[in-house]
Amino acid sequence: MIPIPSAWCAHVDITNVCRRGCVYCTRYDRHLGPKRYTMTLEDVEKALISYIGFPGKLGIMGGEPQFHPELNEVCTIIRKYIPKSKPILCTSMDPV
């Protein structure tokens, strides 16, 4: 395993809610049944603060991150702490 500062990308999974159910997805966790989570804004902020100075990209992920009920606020927090060239929103692009 490589040290985190040497990685080209790190991830923050802001939710595992997704309607797709892809059998190969490593984020959806279908085996957990109804145990869905959505990070609180406080937890999102703590996670992003921990990546200040990280040299690589930062993947904003989940099941489907567009399903986070406070996605606009999450984006505001991202802009507050993470340089504009760093975040990557990893999404299926399904209409929400």
Side-chain angles (χ1 to χ4, degrees), residues 5-93:
S6 300
W8 76 272
C9 185
H11 304 149
V12 176
D13 289 354
I14 62 173
T15 183
N16 72 347
V17 176
C18 183
R19 66 174 154 217
R20 284 204 154 196
C22 303
V23 297
Y24 51 81
C25 182
T26 61
R27 297 294 195 264
Y28 181 51
D29 295 330
R30 291 183 311 153
H31 62 280
L32 294 176
K35 293 183 182 178
R36 300 289 170 244
Y37 71 84
T38 298
M39 288 179 75
T40 65
L41 293 177
E42 180 181 334
D43 287 342
V44 168
E45 187 166 30
K46 287 178 186 177
L48 295 174
I49 288 170
S50 74
Y51 284 109
I52 291 175
F54 176 70
K57 300 288 186 181
L58 185 61
I60 308 302
M61 304 178 72
E64 173 51 68
Q66 294 182 88
F67 286 141
H68 193 290
E70 298 174 292
L71 184 59
N72 288 334
E73 292 85 354
V74 169
C75 291
T76 298
I77 296 169
I78 292 168
R79 285 190 295 271
K80 181 176 178 181
Y81 295 107
I82 306 299
K84 196 173 191 173
S85 64
K86 301 283 184 179
I88 302 168
L89 182 65
C90 303
T91 175
S92 66
M93 298 298 290

